[in-house]
Amino acid sequence: MSHNDQQQAAAVEAEAAGRGGLSQSELDELVASSDTGGRAADGPIGKFILLVALAWSLFQLWFASPFPFMVGFGVFNDTEARSIHLAFAIFLAFAAFPAARSKFQLGLGVIIPIILAVLFMIGAKDGTATWWIPVVAVAVVAAIILGSPKDRIPLWEWAMAIIGAGAALYLYVAYTAISGRVGAPIQTDFIVAVIGLMLLLEATRRALGPALMIVASVFLIYTVLGPWMPSIIAHKGNNLSEIVNHQWITTEGVFGIALGVSTSFVFLFVLFGSLLDRAGAGNYFIQVAFSLMGHMKGGPAKAAVVSSAMTGLISGSSIANVVTTGTFTIPLMKKVGFSSEKAGAVEVASSVNGQIMPPVMGAAAFLMVEYVGIPYFDVVKHAFLPAVISYIALVYIVHLEALKAGMEGLPRAYTPKPIVARLIGIAFIIAAICALSFIVYYGMGWIRPAFPETAGYIIFAFLTAVYVGLLWIASREEPLELDDPNAPVTALPLPGPTIRSGLHFILPVVVLVWALMIDRLSPGLSAFWAAAYMIFILLTQRPLMALFRGGRNMGAAIREGGTDLIECLVAGARNMIGIGIATATAGIIVGAVSQTGVGSALADVVEVLSGGNIMAILFLTAILSLILGMGLPTTANYIVVSALLAPVIVTLGQQNGLIVPLIAVHLFVFYFGIMADVTPPVGLASFAAAAVSGGDPIKTGVVAFFYSLRTAALPFLFIFNTELLLIGVGWGQGIFVFIVATIAMLLFAAATQGWFLAKNRFYETIALLLIAFTLFRPGFWMDMVSAPFAEEAPAQIAQAASDTEAGKDLRLRVAGVNDLGDPIEFVAIVPIVEGATGEEKLEAAGLTFRTEGEKMLIDDVAFGSAAQDAGLDWDQEVLRVLKPVPQPSKYLMFIPALLLLGAIVMLQRGRSGRSRKTAAA
C-alpha cells in the first residue's frame, strides 16, 4: 500500500468532518491519489499513459511465462528484467502522480537534490569531473518549481519521466559493456547513476510521500560522511565511484533483491488480484459473507471482517480494501448500532489484517523467500496460523462489541432449519469438500507422472469442464449486485443461491494453490498460470453467461470481456507503480547497509540501549517498525527494518540463550510494519474509513489500534513459542496448537475489550490475561517448576553428550571472535544423533575438542556439519554445557489455567444472569 502525504490525510479528515462521509467518486479519487496516481490526463495523453501501463503488464506476463524459452525469443535475464521493470515504474510515477502542492513537500523536492549534489561532489575522487552534478540538481529542482498540474503533463515532466526511464534502462542497454568493467565505472556510468538516483527519489516523493525519500537520502549521506559520524556507527566512508557502482551499476543496491522480487513475483500477484476483482470476486466475497453472517449479533461487522479477509487474499492495499468493502459494510454496521468510529475501526482492523493473510501478504511473502532463504511454501505455512487466529479474534471482538451494546443482526432471508438438520448439512458440505480435495489431489497427482508431456492440457480441460458446469449453475441464479447500503434492509441474500452464483471464482485460486503447493513451481510461474486462467475466465464468463441465459447480446458480452481484460491489465500496472518505486528505493537503504557495515554497528547500539535484554530488543524493534511504518508503505518498511534489525535480533538472542528462527524475526518485523497503517496520526486506512463513516479519523484510528492489539501481541508470542508458526510440529500437534492458541487469543481479546460473559472486573481482566499467556506459552511456568537443562562442567561434555538421547539437543555457551575480530559469547544448539559413546555422538555432529589447562576448546568443526550450522568454529572456548533432563509435560500448566477460567465463567454467568433478570423486571 502506498502512503500519501499528511496534507492528503488532513484533506480527507476535513472532508469527512464537514460532509459526514465522501461520495463514491471522491473515495475512488482518494484511492487513485494514494495507490494508482491522481493525475487525470484525458485525451491522447491519457490514452498514451494507458498504453504504457498496458505494455508494462504485457511485458511482465511475457517475462513470467515459459513462452520465451519455447520460442527462443525475448528471453531476459533477471538484471535486464529489473531494469525494464523500474523504467516502467519511474515513467508512470512521473506521468500518473503530480507533484504535491504543499510547501513542505515541494521544499523537500527542492532541498534533497541540492543536498545530494553537494554530497556526490564531496565523494568524488580527485580528477573526477563534477561540474555536471549541480547542473543535474538544478534541472530537477527547476522542473519541480515550474509546477505539476493534475489535468495534463507539462513538457518538463515528460522530460523527467523519459530521462528517469532511460537511466533505469541503462543496465539493459549497456548490460554487456557493464559486465566487462564491474568495479570500474566510466563517466557515462557516473552521469546515469546520479541522474537515476535523483529522479528515483523524486518519483518516490510523488508516489509514496516524503518519508521513504528522507530515509533513503539519510542513508546516502551516511554512506559518504561515515568518518564524521559518532564513533559507534562511524565507518571509512565511500566515494562517488563506489556509490555509483554499488547502488546503480550492480545488483547490490537499487537493482537488488527487493526490485527483483517486485519484478519476478509481486507484479503477477497484483495483476491476478486485479483480474479476480474485476471479474466480480470482490463483490462475491462480500455478498457471501453477508448471506452467512449478517443475521448474527453485530452481523454486518462480522461479515465485514470475513469479506475483508477474503479480499485480502487478492489485494495488497489496505486503503483499497477499506474503500472497496467499507462503502458497503460501514453503513450497515452503523445501521445495527455501531458508532461511526467503531464501524470504521472494524473495517480498518480487518482490511489491514488482509496484508498478513497468505498467499500475497502485501508482497512480503516473496521478499521473505529471498531474505530468509526458505521455499515459498514454508513461508505460507509459517504465516498462516497467526493470520487465521488474528481474524478469528477480530470476529470475536466484534461479537463482544455487539454484546455490550445489545445489538441484533439483520433480518434473515429464510427460516432456518432445525439445528440437527443444519449440523447434518454442514457435515455433508465438509465431507463433500474433503472428497473433492481427495479426488483433485490424487487424481491430478496421478495425471502428472502418467502423462508428463500432456498433463497440462488434461488438467486445463478438466478445470474448464468444471468451470463451464459451475457457470451454468451460476446462470440459474440472479446476478449479484451490490445493494445500496444506505437503503432500508428488508432481508439478507439467501446463502445457497449467493454461494452458487460465484463458485467458478475459486478455480483460479485452485490453479494457484496447485502450482505452488503441489507442482512446487516458482511463485512467478504459478502466478502466471493462475493469471492466465483468470484471463480465460474474464474473456469467457460474460459470453457463456449470455449463452446460458438465452443467447442474447453475445457480441456485446464478448466486447465487454475484452474491455474488462484491458482495464484489468492497466489497473494492475497502475497498482504496481508504488510497489515498484518502493522496492527500488528500499534497495538504496539495503545497499547502504551492506556497503557501510552499519548492521554490525547497529547491533552494538541496540545492545547498549537494551542492556542485552531480549524483550527490550524486541520492544525497540517494534517501536522502530511503527515509527518507520508511519511514513513508509508496508513493503518498504519491511525491507528496511528487516535489513537493519532482523540479523541483530537473531545475533543478540543467540548471545542471550534464545535461539530465534530467522522467519520468526522477519514476521515479527512485518506485523509491526502493518500496524502503522492503523496508528494515528498518519494511518491513511483510518482516514479513508472515517471518510466513509463520517466519524472522527483520529478516534477511528485509536479504536482500530485497540482492536489490533491482538495483532501486536502475536509477534511476541511466536518469537518465544515457535510452535505457533508450525515450526517443528506435525499435523496432529499443529491442529492442537491451533485450537489452544485460538482459545488463548479469544481470552486475550476478552481481557483487552473488558468484556467476557459480562463486563470484566479488574481482577478478572488480569486473570484472563494470565490464562491467555499460560495457554500460549505453558513452558514459561513449567521451566520455573522444573528446569529443562542441567549444567555440566565443560570438561564433562563427552559425558553430557552420552547422557543425551538421540534426537535431543545439547546447548553449548561458547566464547570466540566474530567476523570483525571482536570478542563475542553465544549459545549454540548441537543436535545429538545415535552413537555408542559421547565422543562418537559429538564427532557425528562435527565436533572434536582439546584441553589447554582448564580450558575446553573446540579443536575442529567438520565442514557442512550440524556444528558448523550452529555457528561453532575452531579455537572457540566452551564456557557452559547444558544437557536436557526429563521434565513434566508443559501442558500440565493448562490444568490450573482452566480451573481459573472456570471460576471466572461462574462469576460472570452469575452476574449476567442477574442482569437479565433485572432487565426483564
Side-chain angles (χ1 to χ4, degrees):
M1 198 268 305
S2 304
H3 283 281
N4 205 353
D5 56 22
Q6 293 185 358
Q7 182 194 25
Q8 176 68 52
V12 175
E13 178 183 1
E15 189 74 25
R19 297 183 64 253
L22 298 180
S23 68
Q24 186 60 49
S25 62
E26 290 167 320
L27 289 169
D28 292 341
E29 184 179 350
L30 172 62
V31 175
S33 64
S34 58
D35 273 352
T36 61
R39 178 176 273 135
D42 298 322
I45 301 301
K47 291 180 181 177
F48 177 74
I49 293 175
L50 294 182
L51 287 175
V52 174
L54 179 62
W56 191 9
S57 288
L58 293 175
F59 164 75
Q60 294 290 160
L61 284 169
W62 176 261
F63 174 67
S65 75
F67 301 138
F69 301 96
M70 294 168 63
V71 300
F73 170 78
V75 178
F76 302 95
N77 63 39
D78 286 343
T79 304
E80 293 171 332
R82 294 175 193 182
S83 174
I84 298 171
H85 180 84
L86 182 57
F88 275 115
I90 290 179
F91 184 91
L92 288 173
F94 283 107
F97 288 88
R101 291 171 292 175
S102 71
K103 293 181 179 178
F104 173 70
Q105 283 255 9
L106 289 176
L108 278 174
V110 169
I111 291 172
I112 294 297
I114 295 173
I115 292 175
L116 290 180
V118 173
L119 189 74
F120 292 149
M121 293 177 73
I122 292 173
K125 286 183 179 180
D126 293 337
T128 302
T130 58
W131 61 266
W132 53 271
I133 296 179
V135 174
V136 172
V138 169
V140 174
V141 169
I144 295 170
I145 293 175
L146 284 172
S148 179
K150 282 191 173 183
D151 57 347
R152 61 187 177 86
I153 305 174
L155 182 61
W156 49 88
E157 296 215 318
W158 279 113
M160 295 174 79
I162 294 170
I163 294 171
L169 280 173
Y170 181 67
L171 260 71
Y172 170 68
V173 174
Y175 179 79
T176 304
I178 290 173
S179 61
R181 59 170 187 267
V182 174
I186 61 175
Q187 186 69 15
T188 306
D189 298 342
F190 280 87
I191 295 173
V192 170
V194 169
I195 292 174
L197 287 170
M198 287 188 179
L199 291 181
L200 174 61
L201 290 173
E202 170 58 16
T204 303
R205 183 185 68 81
R206 290 167 178 249
L208 305 168
L212 183 56
M213 177 195 194
I214 294 172
V215 174
S217 301
V218 167
F219 273 87
L220 284 174
I221 293 170
Y222 174 73
T223 302
V224 175
L225 303 183
W228 293 276
M229 293 291 160
S231 58
I232 194 169
I233 60 171
H235 66 99
K236 69 177 183 63
N238 298 96
N239 58 42
L240 182 59
S241 176
E242 293 169 334
I243 293 172
V244 165
N245 185 72
H246 197 81
Q247 293 286 6
W248 200 267
I249 302 303
T250 65
T251 56
E252 298 296 326
V254 170
F255 297 94
I257 289 175
L259 187 63
V261 170
S262 178
T263 306
S264 301
F265 307 146
V266 179
F267 193 106
L268 268 294
F269 278 88
V270 170
L271 181 61
F272 174 68
S274 177
L275 291 164
L276 199 55
D277 186 57
R278 181 69 181 186
N283 176 26
Y284 174 69
F285 291 155
I286 294 172
Q287 294 281 20
V288 167
F290 269 86
S291 68
L292 294 175
M293 307 188 72
H295 65 279
M296 300 177 180
K297 290 182 181 294
K302 293 175 181 175
V305 174
V306 174
S307 61
S308 290
M310 292 188 288
T311 305
L313 295 173
I314 61 174
S315 171
S317 169
S318 299
I319 185 172
N321 201 334
V322 167
V323 172
T324 301
T325 60
T327 50
F328 184 70
T329 60
I330 289 175
L332 288 177
M333 281 190 266
K334 293 170 66 176
K335 192 169 292 185
V336 297
F338 281 86
S339 67
S340 297
E341 286 76 18
K342 287 187 177 180
V346 169
E347 184 57 49
V348 169
S350 55
S351 295
V352 169
N353 255 40
Q355 293 195 69
I356 67 174
M357 179 64 72
V360 179
M361 297 169 60
F366 315 111
L367 290 163
M368 288 179 191
V369 170
E370 300 296 325
Y371 288 153
V372 182
I374 62 177
Y376 174 82
F377 176 80
D378 290 345
V379 172
V380 170
K381 180 183 75 172
H382 297 321
F384 179 73
L385 204 61
V388 173
I389 292 171
S390 184
Y391 263 115
I392 292 173
L394 184 55
V395 172
Y396 182 61
I397 287 172
V398 168
H399 179 71
L400 294 176
E401 289 286 3
L403 285 178
K404 291 180 194 177
M407 298 178 194
E408 296 298 330
L410 297 172
R412 289 179 184 265
Y414 67 102
T415 302
K417 297 178 181 178
I419 185 66
V420 175
R422 290 166 65 189
L423 290 175
I424 292 173
I426 292 171
F428 177 77
I429 292 171
I430 294 173
I433 292 173
C434 292
L436 180 63
S437 302
F438 183 87
I439 292 169
V440 169
Y441 183 89
Y442 288 99
M444 295 175 74
W446 168 80
I447 291 171
R448 177 67 66 186
F451 303 97
E453 299 297 327
T454 58
Y457 301 105
I458 296 173
I459 292 170
F460 175 77
F462 170 74
L463 288 175
T464 301
V466 174
Y467 162 62
V468 173
L470 292 176
L471 209 59
W472 181 83
I473 293 172
S475 69
R476 305 297 96 187
E477 311 295 343
E478 290 295 322
L480 279 182
E481 297 291 343
L482 274 177
D483 303 320
D484 180 2
N486 296 302
V489 179
T490 57
L492 292 166
L494 287 167
T498 303
I499 293 171
R500 290 193 296 270
S501 66
L503 285 174
H504 58 285
F505 292 131
I506 299 174
L507 293 178
V509 180
V510 170
V511 173
L512 178 63
V513 173
W514 173 266
L516 285 171
M517 309 297 184
I518 309 302
D519 268 1
R520 297 294 180 97
L521 302 179
S522 70
L525 189 56
S526 301
F528 167 77
W529 288 120
Y533 199 78
M534 194 63 241
I535 290 172
F536 169 73
I537 288 178
L538 201 64
L539 290 174
T540 59
Q541 70 170 351
R542 288 182 186 271
L544 286 174
M545 276 288 195
L547 178 66
F548 292 147
R549 287 173 174 162
R552 298 175 184 174
N553 300 322
M554 285 290 290
I558 293 171
R559 287 193 299 273
E560 286 175 359
T563 301
D564 285 343
L565 175 59
I566 293 174
E567 290 179 354
C568 279
L569 294 174
V570 171
R574 295 194 68 155
N575 285 331
M576 271 299 301
I577 298 172
I579 296 176
I581 295 293
T583 51
T585 308
I588 295 176
I589 300 165
V590 175
V593 171
S594 64
Q595 190 171 25
T596 62
V598 69
S600 59
L602 191 64
D604 295 336
V605 173
V606 171
E607 188 170 20
V608 168
L609 292 175
S610 64
N613 183 281
I614 189 65
M615 282 300 295
I617 294 168
L618 294 175
F619 272 113
L620 283 172
T621 304
I623 292 169
L624 180 61
S625 299
L626 282 172
I627 292 172
L628 285 175
M630 288 182 183
L632 270 61
T634 304
T635 307
N637 180 25
Y638 164 69
I639 294 169
V640 173
V641 183
S642 63
L644 289 173
L645 289 178
V648 174
I649 296 175
V650 173
T651 300
L652 295 183
Q654 190 179 25
Q655 292 177 11
N656 289 274
L658 178 67
I659 309 300
V660 186
L662 191 56
I663 182 63
V665 179
H666 279 258
L667 286 171
F668 180 94
V669 168
F670 176 62
Y671 266 57
F672 278 99
I674 68 164
M675 284 290 290
D677 284 344
V678 178
T679 312
V682 185
L684 194 56
S686 299
F687 283 93
V692 179
S693 69
D696 181 87
I698 299 298
K699 289 182 181 178
T700 300
V702 171
V703 176
F705 177 78
F706 279 102
Y707 287 167
S708 301
L709 282 176
R710 74 206 187 285
T711 307
L714 274 170
F716 285 97
L717 295 166
F718 61 59
I719 284 285
F720 292 98
N721 181 8
T722 56
E723 289 180 352
L724 287 172
L725 302 179
L726 300 179
I727 295 177
V729 300
W731 281 103
Q733 190 178 0
I735 294 171
F736 175 75
V737 168
F738 169 68
I739 295 171
V740 172
T742 302
I743 295 171
M745 185 52 72
L746 297 182
L747 295 175
F748 177 83
T752 55
Q753 294 304 305
W755 193 284
F756 185 33
L757 302 178
K759 185 176 181 180
N760 293 344
R761 292 173 177 163
F762 78 93
Y763 55 84
E764 291 172 337
T765 295
I766 295 172
L768 285 172
L769 289 173
L770 189 63
I771 295 167
F773 177 77
T774 303
L775 295 179
F776 270 124
R777 199 181 169 206
F780 178 83
W781 304 114
M782 185 55 72
D783 289 351
M784 291 184 176
V785 175
S786 175
F789 297 98
E791 184 172 352
E792 298 283 356
Q796 302 298 317
I797 188 171
Q799 184 59 45
S802 177
D803 296 340
T804 303
E805 298 178 9
K808 298 292 184 68
D809 297 326
L810 199 65
R811 295 193 169 211
L812 307 182
R813 185 165 190 86
V814 299
V817 294
N818 61 15
D819 295 337
L820 301 177
D822 299 324
I824 58 167
E825 289 187 13
F826 65 95
V827 174
I829 294 181
V830 179
I832 298 299
V833 296
E834 291 289 349
T837 65
E839 288 82 358
E840 289 182 3
K841 290 181 177 181
L842 292 172
E843 287 180 8
L847 282 172
T848 56
F849 296 89
R850 73 177 190 274
T851 57
E852 291 184 3
E854 296 182 356
K855 294 183 178 181
M856 174 66 71
L857 302 178
I858 298 176
D859 191 45
D860 191 25
V861 177
F863 178 77
S865 63
Q868 188 184 53
D869 294 339
L872 296 174
D873 205 349
W874 58 280
D875 274 355
Q876 290 173 340
E877 180 184 358
V878 179
L879 303 177
R880 297 175 65 194
V881 177
L882 297 174
K883 69 176 182 181
V885 294
Q887 186 186 35
S889 172
K890 62 183 178 181
Y891 299 119
L892 291 175
M893 289 298 162
F894 287 175
I895 296 175
L898 294 176
L899 290 174
L900 181 58
L901 178 61
I904 295 173
V905 169
M906 292 177 62
L907 288 172
Q908 294 209 354
R909 286 187 65 182
R911 289 208 304 277
S912 63
R914 289 193 296 271
S915 298
R916 284 194 295 269
K917 288 179 182 178
T918 303

